[in-house]
Amino acid sequence: MKKLIFIGPLSFFEPGPTIDGIGPGKNGIYLWCVKDHDSTYRVHYVGESFDVASRLRDHRKAQLLGQYVAFDPDGLRENIKILMHRAGKGMIEKYSSLERKEVNHKYLSAISVFYADLGCEADKGLRCRYEYALYTTVEDHGQNILHVGHLRSSADEPHDVVVETPGVNIEGLSNAVLRV
């Protein structure tokens, strides 16, 4: 059976290994996770890109500019999504006394990134199939804090893939078998 091996955790900022250490040309999928109090990583976002490193740097820049939503990191650790910043609109009223840039930085600082390289032969369609399979596997696991912009499924013949997360437990995904 084919394996999907995630590398991580990485962070958006130092200290420690960051997304800036991902080599060029990593064509694949990535996860934004929040580490809970039991050292389990909970998936918050699933994405795909032909250049994972570049896409993650774009995410970081857009997040800090306020172009994305931001959630309360403490809530995410408790498996609750609490919106603090609305993309392009600013802080929601309850948090209007807080600085947008600080909130977005704190949010990104709470995120642990994992990625899996699918190899150069993986096209957009295949990456989207993996993205969809990962998202639905986490969603089917139960209560979750997933946030996603769009998903694409496929009518192509599925195949099974086992998820490996060496040295860490990603809730709902570690050792899971995906139908991709």
Side-chain angles (χ1 to χ4, degrees), residues 7 10-11 17-27 30 51-54 56-57 113-115:
I7 308 297
L10 304 171
S11 61
T18 70
I19 61 166
D20 299 310
I22 300 173
K26 300 295 183 192
N27 178 24
Y30 55 91
D51 186 342
V52 171
S54 178
L56 289 169
R57 286 190 301 272
V113 177
F114 295 84
Y115 74 94

Side-chain angles (χ1 to χ4, degrees), residues 108-123:
L108 277 183
S109 295
I111 301 295
S112 296
V113 177
F114 295 84
Y115 74 94
D117 188 357
L118 298 178
C120 60
E121 70 281 354
D123 63 6

Side-chain angles (χ1 to χ4, degrees), residues 40-179:
T40 296
Y41 291 89
R42 185 169 286 129
V43 179
H44 177 50
Y45 181 84
V46 181
E48 59 79 24
S49 179
F50 68 93
D51 186 342
V52 171
S54 178
R55 183 68 182 124
L56 289 169
R57 286 190 301 272
D58 289 346
H59 277 309
R60 177 176 55 199
K61 180 179 178 183
Q63 186 72 54
L64 293 174
L65 290 172
Q67 297 170 347
Y68 290 172
V69 296
F71 297 94
D72 176 14
D74 295 326
L76 295 176
R77 286 185 196 92
E78 299 299 327
N79 213 17
I80 302 168
K81 283 195 324 189
I82 303 168
L83 182 65
M84 296 180 75
H85 177 267
R86 194 173 305 281
K89 304 240 182 207
M91 301 301 294
I92 66 168
E93 189 173 335
K94 181 178 180 179
Y95 300 103
S96 61
S97 65
L98 301 176
E99 289 293 323
R100 171 195 53 84
K101 192 167 185 171
E102 286 178 31
V103 167
N104 281 290
H105 191 278
K106 182 178 177 185
Y107 169 65
L108 277 183
S109 295
I111 301 295
S112 296
V113 177
F114 295 84
Y115 74 94
D117 188 357
L118 298 178
C120 60
E121 70 281 354
D123 63 6
K124 174 103 175 149
L126 182 58
R127 290 191 313 268
C128 288
R129 286 174 58 183
Y130 273 91
E131 180 184 41
Y132 181 80
L134 287 161
Y135 185 89
T136 56
T137 300
V138 171
E139 191 174 54
D140 291 349
H141 185 73
Q143 184 179 357
N144 64 70
I145 54 170
L146 287 171
H147 179 73
V148 69
H150 65 276
L151 286 174
R152 296 177 190 93
S153 62
S154 171
D156 293 344
E157 186 66 32
H159 60 276
D160 290 341
V161 177
V162 66
V163 177
E164 292 187 2
T165 59
V168 297
N169 179 30
I170 299 178
E171 185 177 64
L173 288 182
S174 293
N175 302 311
V177 176
L178 306 177
R179 290 291 285 166

